[in-house]
Amino acid sequence: MTATPVYEEIRAQLRRLLASGRYKVGDQLPTIREFCEQYDINSVQTVRDAYQALKDEGLVTSRQGVGFFVAALPLRRLGLVGLAERAHQVRIDAERAAGLARTLETELTDALSDHERVAVDALTAAARATYLSGSGEERRRDFGEIALQVLAGAAANLGGVENLLAGRPGSWEADIIRNAVNAIAPGDVLPRYRTEPLRITLYVDQILAEHTLAHDQYDKAEVAIDDEYETANAALPQVDERPYVWVYEPSDGGDPVPTTPETPAWSWDAWRAGATALGLDEQNIATLEADIRGERSNRLATSVYVPKSPDLAAEFVRLLDEREAALAPYALQDALTALQEREWTEYGEALRNQIEDEAERVGLDVPVEVTIDTTGRPDIRPALDELAQSLVENAIAVVSSPADLPGTPLTRLRAER
């Protein structure tokens, strides 16, 4: 008996999610990385294969740099009773939808009439405009050319002629406009007619999660750093605080309690003086005092130290600093985070440069404003128009990501240090 491939099991699980009614057509599915985390799956490639299988089946579609979306729902088996109930609900929904559609149509017609009047006034003014010929004769402009340029500009601003005609793409009017725009601005020529700035936000963390293994590489580096630090920490002898400080335990609703019979009675003044001798500043002392008194929601302090003398306090601090210095080569978490932020930013900058170069190559003569967000993963991302989507997809395809850098994040980090 042949075992079912793991990706087929994940595919079946995704189909059950779609059939359950949890998602509607057009809803965005969890990213590959989010799905792995949610269902404790280790292989990003396996989940990617399952998504691709659903895409091949026509249930899922994808947008580069954005994610996966529900394209259709699998059929569910319903009993006759369930089918009848569903049909009844569909009739009710249809009646409600029809009434809503009539209301929206009236409101939309009223709203669009203002835009139409503005457009008519602008085109009328353009048709009335004149210019002086070489012989000094006043002549009217070629309105046909003006009208086509206006249509081409609107299509370019919307990202494509089909976006311009999305209201009724199959009408005979749409065919006329489609043919006219394609005649004056075919294919790659259309972006040159754009008049609005092209604004794109690159969610770098999301792009890397969807298209690369960079996150997996950093997760492995983080685990390796934690393991090495714990090993080094366990091998290094702990500093015995008893010769240098008196130790107290915090209590609920009262002063800290001495831990040995020899320990002096608690004194807040002695503790504050000792905290200063141990190197704490006023702000840290105030924060720690609030914690010891139980004034914070979650008490962090488990032991409270009061130096036995200023000299012993200095020696205790020296020993702690010495131990911390010995562990410093293993305490790389902050450095790893800084490296990731830098590599994410550099990748975003490379994507932006590629997008700007490509926009210039296709003849785009408007500002291209690319914003780089290295940490955000918005639940609802603004949809990119056809031109912007194409520029982003091309940039992702040709720009090397942090996953393509030599070595691993940990080896790169150590090489820097």
Side-chain angles (χ1 to χ4, degrees):
M1 180 179 296
T2 303
T4 303
V6 177
Y7 90 92
E8 284 287 1
E9 296 178 2
I10 298 172
R11 175 189 183 184
Q13 185 175 2
L14 284 166
R15 291 183 98 264
R16 287 193 293 271
L17 281 175
L18 296 180
S20 70
R22 179 176 176 181
Y23 295 98
K24 302 185 294 297
V25 173
D27 284 355
Q28 183 172 3
L29 293 172
T31 66
I32 292 174
R33 183 177 179 82
E34 289 169 349
F35 192 93
C36 289
E37 293 173 351
Q38 185 174 354
Y39 294 95
D40 196 24
I41 298 172
N42 295 325
S43 175
V44 172
Q45 186 60 48
T46 301
V47 177
R48 183 177 285 112
D49 291 342
Y51 272 81
Q52 183 61 44
L54 289 180
K55 184 176 179 182
D56 295 340
E57 192 177 350
L59 298 179
V60 168
T61 185
S62 65
R63 280 188 273 167
Q64 292 285 351
V66 180
F68 292 88
F69 296 80
V70 179
L73 296 178
L75 296 177
R76 292 181 293 173
R77 295 183 179 178
L78 300 175
L80 292 177
V81 174
L83 206 58
E85 292 176 350
R86 181 61 179 160
H88 176 67
Q89 185 62 47
V90 167
R91 284 196 296 273
I92 295 175
D93 292 343
E95 292 172 359
R96 291 174 177 170
L100 180 60
R102 287 191 293 271
T103 301
L104 290 176
E105 184 177 2
T106 301
E107 295 176 353
L108 188 58
T109 300
D110 292 341
L112 287 179
S113 63
D114 293 335
H115 297 298
E116 289 169 354
R117 282 194 293 269
V118 172
V120 169
D121 291 344
L123 288 174
T124 301
R128 287 174 176 159
T130 60
Y131 70 96
L132 294 177
S133 67
S135 62
E137 179 184 0
E138 186 176 32
R139 295 180 180 177
R140 296 279 287 274
R141 295 280 306 277
D142 180 353
F143 183 75
E145 180 185 6
I146 294 173
L148 283 179
Q149 288 180 345
V150 169
L151 289 173
N157 288 340
L158 291 171
V161 67
E162 295 307 322
N163 293 336
L164 178 68
L165 303 173
R168 286 184 64 205
S171 67
W172 64 269
E173 297 96 335
D175 283 339
I176 293 175
I177 294 175
R178 183 182 292 109
N179 293 333
V181 172
N182 287 334
I184 188 176
D188 293 341
V189 177
L190 183 62
R192 302 175 187 176
Y193 285 82
R194 189 180 183 106
T195 61
E196 294 180 349
L198 183 64
R199 297 183 176 91
I200 299 173
T201 298
L202 294 174
Y203 295 101
V204 174
D205 193 66
Q206 183 74 46
I207 291 172
L208 289 172
E210 289 288 348
H211 299 280
T212 77
L213 296 176
H215 276 283
D216 293 337
Q217 294 176 356
Y218 266 89
D219 289 345
K220 292 177 181 177
E222 186 173 354
V223 170
I225 287 174
D226 286 342
D227 290 344
E228 291 177 5
Y229 184 87
E230 290 302 323
T231 299
N233 186 48
L236 196 65
Q238 298 289 333
V239 176
D240 184 3
E241 71 269 12
R242 290 173 298 179
Y244 309 100
V245 296
W246 301 112
V247 182
Y248 300 80
E249 291 182 355
S251 63
D252 295 330
D255 293 340
V257 179
T259 57
T260 65
E262 299 82 13
T263 303
W266 176 260
S267 165
W268 284 104
D269 289 338
W271 171 78
R272 294 188 190 95
T276 301
L278 291 174
L280 277 66
D281 58 25
E282 292 183 4
Q283 182 177 354
N284 287 332
I285 292 174
T287 301
L288 184 55
E289 181 173 340
D291 188 65
I292 295 171
R293 291 181 182 275
E295 296 173 357
R296 305 177 66 181
S297 57
N298 294 315
R299 174 179 283 166
L300 300 178
T302 57
S303 298
V304 184
Y305 295 155
V306 176
K308 294 181 178 180
S309 72
D311 290 342
L312 291 175
E315 179 62 13
F316 185 50
V317 169
R318 186 190 69 79
L319 292 174
L320 291 176
D321 289 344
E322 187 178 85
R323 192 176 192 279
E324 184 176 350
L327 290 174
Y330 307 97
L332 300 177
Q333 287 291 7
D334 290 344
L336 183 68
T337 299
L339 177 66
Q340 177 177 330
E341 291 175 354
R342 187 165 68 252
E343 291 185 349
W344 266 223
T345 299
E346 291 172 353
Y347 177 60
E349 293 288 351
L351 289 177
R352 173 162 58 190
N353 292 337
Q354 179 64 31
I355 290 172
E356 291 174 348
D357 290 345
E358 183 67 12
E360 184 178 353
R361 188 192 68 77
V362 301
L364 201 61
D365 193 25
V366 294
V368 178
E369 302 170 3
V370 181
T371 302
I372 298 174
D373 186 326
T374 59
T375 59
R377 289 196 191 182
D379 294 331
I380 300 177
R381 291 182 288 270
L384 297 176
D385 64 38
E386 184 178 332
L387 173 61
Q389 185 70 26
S390 174
L391 293 175
V392 171
E393 290 176 357
N394 290 340
I396 293 173
V398 301
V399 173
S400 297
S401 78
D404 302 317
L405 293 173
T408 67
L410 192 53
T411 59
R412 294 196 295 273
L413 179 62
R414 285 173 172 158
E416 284 187 358
R417 296 171 69 87

